[in-house]
Amino acid sequence: MSEKFHGLTQAKADKRLKEDGLNEAPEPEYNFFKEFLSKLWNLSAWVLEGALILECILGKWIQSLFVLLMLLFAAFNGASKKKQSRRVLNTISHKLTPKVAVERDGKWIKIDSKQLVRGDLISLQRGDVLAADVKMVSGKIACDESSITGESKPVKKNIDDTAYAGTTVVEGDGLAIVTATGKDSRSGKTINLINNSAAPGHLQQLLTKIIYYLCLLDGVLTLVIIIASFFKGGNFDTFINMLPFLAMMFIASIPVAMPSTFALSNSFEATRLSKEGVLTADLTGIQDAANLNLLLLDKTGTITENKTAVASWSDLSDLPDKDVLALAGSATDKRNAGIIDIAIDEYLKENNIPVMDVEHFTPFTSDTGYSMAEVDGHNVKLGSFKQLSLIDKNANEAVEGINFKAGRSVAVLIDDKLAGVFILQDKVRKDSKSALAELKKRGVRPIMLTGDNQRTAAAVAEQVDLTGNVISIHDFDESTDIDELAGIADVLPEDKLKMVKFFQEKGYIVGMTGDGVNDSPALKQAEVGIAVSNAADVAKRSSKMVLLDDGLSSIVKILDAGHRVYQRMTTWSLAKLARTAELTMLLTFGYFFFNYIPMALNAMVIYTIMNNMVTMMIGTDRTHITYKPENWNMARLAKIAFSLAAGWTVIGIAFFSYLNMHGWSHNSISTMVYVYLVLSAMLIVLITRTRKYFWQDYPSKLVGIVQIADVALTFILALCGLAMAQISWQNLLITVVVALIAAIIIDLIYQPVMKNRFIPSKSTLIK
């Protein structure tokens, strides 16, 4: 049938490409103003807006201005970082442009989908994501049009029907003529394969809990202050006068910089990975990589090379060997050749076997287990021996002398009778053994999945030092000892989703590599779905990460990126919890013991802004990689942070008490407490960011610059009396010395605690 239709010449295609432009839909421009306004309508913004209204009602105009600036900064910064993240992902997404089988100058080739033009003849098969609007001219397909209609039920497409760009072929195969490209097509969604996942990653869920802890702490301490004020003889006017301070305590708890820190760290790592041969299609994949403790690996194309060759051929028919091979060659897919098709075609070419004219061809599908051709009056089937032996009931008797353990078997049926068996072998990649050893050293359990039989799978597992049992999928059940499992054989593509869910239910954070159409649900389900370099378009779209290079080495880079994000957000979490707890406890106990809040309201607002500037830069910090999966205990994390806060608070209260008892004025004390809190906040970041003592390590350039700027501005404000009471050089020096002594004492206690928490077998400092 395909001989009736022909594509364009290359010259004609080049002319139309010049006329119509590339086959890509213009992306909607980023509306900064719209994004800015959206940042003013969320929970964090509502707290700030409520505080702003309260300050205005109470006539605190200077404080109102500071709160307004903080609100605008949060919105501006959030919109800016969203723009930056989108730019990074858009840059990466263009590298995920699918390839299309197209006929040019009478030959079938694969080209970048951006190069498609009107009139091109393209080949469609299951798993293809349509890159343009097309008209069917041969065959039948069914398309998932949910991306443009919202309906999930497949829509059948017959000859003369139109299929639309952005839809996925879920059934059948055929030929089609391109009718519209780029902006002229009904949908331009194909070019961008990014999965903008709405589901938060495990880390983001953890950070949400942190906000809860902070609000809970502030609520309790606010209640303490209110009760204490009435016990100390206060009245309603006293309560009204304290409202601005109470509002600021809540403002200090709001993680204004959290979205920016999060976005900055993720986009930073996504950019880094793209330069290392890994494209990020969903940022939660980076976050969850740090938790990864089980990785399901496809054997073919991942552990072994994607270059399968015929190791042996057995003619089991009465026909001459060359005739059987020629008929077998007719059943290979010439339009969308897979690794088996290529291996057999190359074997035929080496043996000078001529290519036969095919009357009708049906490509391989996982449902049938074979491809089929009608040629020279014969029906030829090429595919899995297991599937084809169901058709020829005598097949098992005919293959008794064939060593199926030697490699992958591909059988040939001629007129439903077994005619021969190819034995194909996949060569193990040079880096597989070392990469798997590195994964195991990182605490990740690799389990090989393959459709091959158990003996073949066991032989490959032995070559790459995958220790443990290799079992058949039929023997896999609830009682299987996962700790002793090296691989699972006889796996069908549809089994993979069940296995991902099984391991997730057992409490594992699961990674999954895949390349085929039927791998897509499992890739989508896994916390870290990884499409390998030769994966089908729909598999890439379903994954969170896409490898550009062959082999397993790139997966280690994904783990490293995940650990870097987690370590930076560990610093952010500990620093945010500790700083906020210190501020609220110091002010609460100060009021409780000395009858006044020892910090000016203006200084409190400035302190909050400065902290957000520093914590935002943590997303770019140098960090250590731990060689084990992360498994954070929120209660333990909070305990460490509050222990840090308690240390700073005790020393701060002692310092505050000394100043009160030795004649310092309330105004001077207020400014000195402000300087102490700023210095403690900067030092907490330095302490929590490393597992060395803080004076033995240094932060990234951006973190260091912002910290120095914050400290310099603090000193200027305190010495010049801007927005707070002026203090002398002597008072400033006293405060600096107290803060440094406090940091040294606290770090000498803190570092042993953190070493017990991480317990790394080895770590590497990443700049």
Side-chain angles (χ1 to χ4, degrees):
M1 295 291 291
S2 60
E3 287 76 8
K4 297 180 181 179
F5 308 101
H6 294 286
L8 303 174
T9 63
Q10 189 62 50
K12 182 68 173 178
D14 291 340
K15 182 179 179 182
R16 287 194 178 173
L17 185 65
K18 189 174 181 179
E19 293 172 354
D20 299 342
L22 291 173
N23 176 36
E24 55 183 358
E27 296 173 359
E29 291 186 10
Y30 179 80
N31 190 321
F32 183 86
F33 181 70
K34 184 178 179 180
E35 189 64 34
F36 176 83
L37 291 179
S38 72
K39 299 299 180 185
L40 298 176
W41 191 253
N42 57 49
L43 182 59
S44 297
W46 295 338
V47 174
L48 291 173
E49 288 157 4
L52 176 61
I53 293 171
L54 179 61
E55 299 286 3
C56 291
I57 292 173
L58 296 174
K60 304 290 184 179
W61 301 112
I62 295 178
Q63 289 83 1
S64 299
L65 178 61
F66 277 121
V67 176
L68 177 61
L69 290 174
M70 189 185 303
L71 178 65
L72 295 177
F73 165 78
F76 177 82
N77 191 50
S80 299
K81 290 298 177 289
K82 179 72 175 290
K83 182 178 182 179
Q84 179 181 342
S85 296
R86 176 170 170 172
R87 184 168 60 246
V88 168
L89 286 178
N90 283 345
T91 300
I92 293 171
S93 72
H94 286 297
K95 299 177 184 179
L96 291 173
T97 305
K99 298 289 185 181
V100 182
V102 59
E103 190 193 61
R104 294 271 176 91
D105 290 330
K107 296 180 180 179
W108 284 98
I109 58 174
K110 285 200 172 185
I111 64 171
D112 192 301
S113 65
K114 291 182 182 180
Q115 304 296 321
L116 279 180
V117 297
R118 288 177 296 107
D120 264 330
L121 178 67
I122 65 172
S123 174
L124 299 175
Q125 64 176 0
R126 188 180 183 194
D128 286 345
V129 179
L130 270 68
D133 289 355
V134 299
K135 179 182 178 182
M136 296 296 300
V137 295
S138 174
K140 296 179 181 179
I141 62 173
C143 292
D144 176 2
E145 296 187 345
S146 58
S147 60
I148 57 175
T149 66
E151 295 294 331
S152 59
K153 187 176 181 180
V155 179
K156 293 186 181 298
K157 302 291 182 180
N158 298 312
I159 294 175
D160 291 335
D161 287 344
T162 299
Y164 301 103
T167 63
T168 304
V169 181
V170 295
E171 183 182 320
D173 66 276
L175 298 176
I177 297 290
V178 175
T179 57
T181 62
K183 58 182 174 52
D184 297 322
S185 65
R186 179 170 173 179
S187 169
K189 296 180 180 179
T190 300
I191 302 304
N192 188 351
L193 291 177
I194 293 300
N195 296 323
N196 293 311
S197 174
H202 288 76
L203 178 58
Q204 206 160 353
Q205 294 170 4
L206 178 71
L207 299 181
T208 302
K209 290 183 181 179
I210 290 174
I211 300 174
Y212 168 77
Y213 272 76
L214 293 173
C215 291
L216 183 64
L217 173 70
D218 276 350
V220 171
L221 293 180
T222 298
L223 187 61
V224 169
I225 289 180
I226 293 172
I227 294 173
S229 68
F230 284 103
F231 272 104
K232 290 175 179 291
N235 52 31
F236 185 72
D237 290 337
T238 305
F239 172 71
I240 293 297
N241 291 331
M242 290 177 63
L243 279 178
F245 288 95
L246 299 179
M248 280 311 305
M249 285 176 66
F250 272 98
I251 289 173
S253 299
I254 298 301
V256 173
M258 186 189 79
S260 301
T261 308
F262 208 66
L264 186 62
S265 186
N266 281 321
S267 59
F268 188 77
E269 289 303 327
T271 302
R272 182 172 186 159
L273 282 173
S274 69
K275 296 175 182 177
E276 296 177 340
V278 181
L279 301 184
T280 304
D282 188 330
L283 293 178
T284 61
I286 297 178
Q287 303 158 27
D288 288 335
N291 300 98
L292 187 69
N293 51 19
L294 187 141
L295 182 62
L296 302 177
L297 292 160
D298 263 349
K299 177 183 74 70
T300 306
T302 305
I303 295 176
T304 59
E305 288 186 4
N306 197 20
K307 295 178 181 178
T308 302
V310 175
S312 66
W313 157 251
S314 301
D315 186 351
L316 304 175
S317 73
D318 297 328
L319 296 172
D321 197 44
K322 285 194 173 185
D323 291 349
V324 179
L325 286 172
L327 289 169
S330 69
T332 60
D333 195 331
K334 304 298 189 294
R335 295 203 308 252
N336 290 286
I339 56 175
I340 292 175
D341 300 310
I342 293 171
I344 293 175
D345 285 344
E346 288 183 354
Y347 180 76
L348 299 184
K349 187 176 180 181
E350 290 171 3
N351 288 276
N352 298 317
I353 305 299
V355 178
M356 302 182 71
D357 292 331
V358 179
E359 297 164 17
H360 182 74
F361 176 76
T362 304
F364 171 91
T365 68
S366 58
D367 294 331
T368 61
Y370 56 81
S371 59
M372 184 170 65
E374 299 290 342
V375 57
D376 198 23
H378 295 286
N379 175 273
V380 183
K381 295 182 176 69
L382 181 71
S384 161
F385 174 78
K386 184 178 180 180
Q387 292 294 107
L388 295 182
S389 64
L390 298 176
I391 298 174
D392 183 358
K393 304 299 182 181
N394 299 317
N396 288 309
E397 298 174 5
V399 297
E400 290 180 355
I402 296 176
N403 181 16
F404 283 92
K405 187 178 179 180
R408 178 186 297 188
S409 59
V410 179
V412 181
L413 256 62
I414 299 177
D415 298 326
D416 290 342
K417 296 294 181 183
L418 183 65
V421 175
F422 292 98
I423 297 296
L424 285 69
Q425 290 181 341
D426 292 337
K427 187 178 179 182
V428 172
R429 295 185 182 280
K430 293 180 180 179
D431 71 329
S432 291
K433 188 173 180 178
S434 59
L436 287 170
E438 183 68 19
L439 288 171
K440 288 186 282 187
K441 189 168 66 174
R442 300 296 184 95
V444 178
R445 168 162 287 281
I447 297 178
M448 180 180 68
L449 304 180
T450 177
D452 288 343
N453 62 62
Q454 190 174 348
R455 291 179 298 175
T456 303
V460 173
E462 185 178 355
Q463 290 183 62
V464 294
D465 283 351
L466 278 179
T467 56
N469 302 320
V470 176
I471 65 173
S472 170
I473 186 68
H474 307 299
D475 299 323
F476 184 82
D477 55 32
E478 289 281 343
S479 62
T480 301
D481 187 352
I482 297 171
D483 292 333
E484 296 297 325
L485 192 60
I488 304 174
D490 303 317
V491 174
L492 296 176
E494 51 267 29
D495 293 326
K496 295 177 181 178
L497 177 60
K498 297 176 185 177
M499 297 184 69
V500 171
K501 290 182 177 179
F502 173 84
F503 288 117
Q504 287 174 332
E505 289 170 1
K506 293 290 185 181
Y508 288 94
I509 304 300
V510 181
M512 170 80 195
T513 68
D515 61 356
V517 178
N518 283 6
D519 293 340
S520 300
L523 291 169
K524 190 75 173 177
Q525 176 69 27
E527 281 87 354
V528 188
I530 304 170
V532 297
S533 57
N534 64 329
D537 296 338
V538 68
K540 290 180 179 178
R541 192 172 65 174
S542 301
S543 303
K544 294 182 179 179
M545 319 296 294
V546 179
L547 306 184
L548 295 181
D549 302 323
D550 295 331
L552 295 171
S553 300
S554 296
I555 298 177
V556 177
K557 298 173 185 175
I558 297 173
L559 294 180
D560 288 348
H563 281 290
R564 286 193 290 267
V565 169
Y566 251 82
Q567 294 302 325
R568 289 175 188 135
M569 298 317 293
T570 301
T571 301
W572 180 90
S573 305
L574 288 171
K576 179 63 179 176
L577 282 167
R579 282 199 328 263
T580 304
E582 179 199 4
L583 172 68
T584 53
M585 288 193 295
L586 190 61
L587 299 189
T588 300
F589 293 136
Y591 177 79
F592 192 78
F593 294 131
F594 301 102
N595 295 321
Y596 73 99
I597 295 178
M599 189 174 181
L601 188 57
N602 292 345
M604 195 185 298
V605 179
I606 296 171
Y607 167 80
T608 304
I609 293 174
M610 286 183 172
N611 281 337
N612 286 323
M613 292 296 294
V614 172
T615 51
M616 186 176 65
M617 293 298 106
I618 290 174
T620 66
D621 197 16
R622 299 163 65 250
T623 184
H624 290 80
I625 293 172
T626 54
Y627 276 57
K628 69 186 186 73
E630 299 286 0
N631 185 19
W632 281 6
N633 183 317
M634 185 60 211
R636 192 191 317 179
L637 186 66
K639 189 186 298 182
I640 293 171
F642 290 139
S643 297
L644 273 172
W648 283 101
T649 302
V650 168
I651 296 172
I653 288 293
F655 179 47
F656 179 36
S657 301
Y658 178 85
L659 296 176
N660 270 284
M661 291 186 292
H662 289 79
W664 269 266
S665 68
H666 286 186
N667 286 336
S668 294
I669 291 173
S670 174
T671 301
M672 292 171 76
V673 168
Y674 159 72
V675 174
Y676 175 81
L677 283 168
V678 170
L679 292 175
S680 68
M682 302 301 115
L683 289 164
I684 284 172
V685 171
L686 296 180
I687 289 170
T688 55
R689 62 166 297 278
T690 179
R691 276 172 280 131
K692 299 178 180 179
Y693 294 111
F694 75 87
W695 57 86
Q696 295 178 323
D697 199 6
Y698 61 93
S700 68
K701 186 181 293 185
L702 278 175
V703 173
I705 289 173
V706 174
Q707 283 199 317
I708 292 170
D710 274 5
V711 171
L713 180 59
T714 295
F715 289 174
I716 292 171
L717 293 175
L719 292 172
C720 297
L722 301 174
M724 63 192 70
Q726 185 177 10
I727 60 172
S728 65
W729 276 101
Q730 291 85 351
N731 286 343
L732 178 64
L733 185 59
I734 290 170
T735 309
V736 172
V737 170
V738 170
L740 286 174
I741 292 173
I744 293 170
I745 294 172
I746 289 169
D747 204 18
L748 289 172
I749 300 170
Y750 171 80
Q751 289 307 329
V753 173
M754 289 304 288
K755 285 178 182 177
N756 289 333
R757 174 183 173 267
F758 283 107
I759 318 175
S761 58
K762 184 180 179 183
S763 66
T764 304
L765 184 64
I766 302 298
K767 296 182 179 180

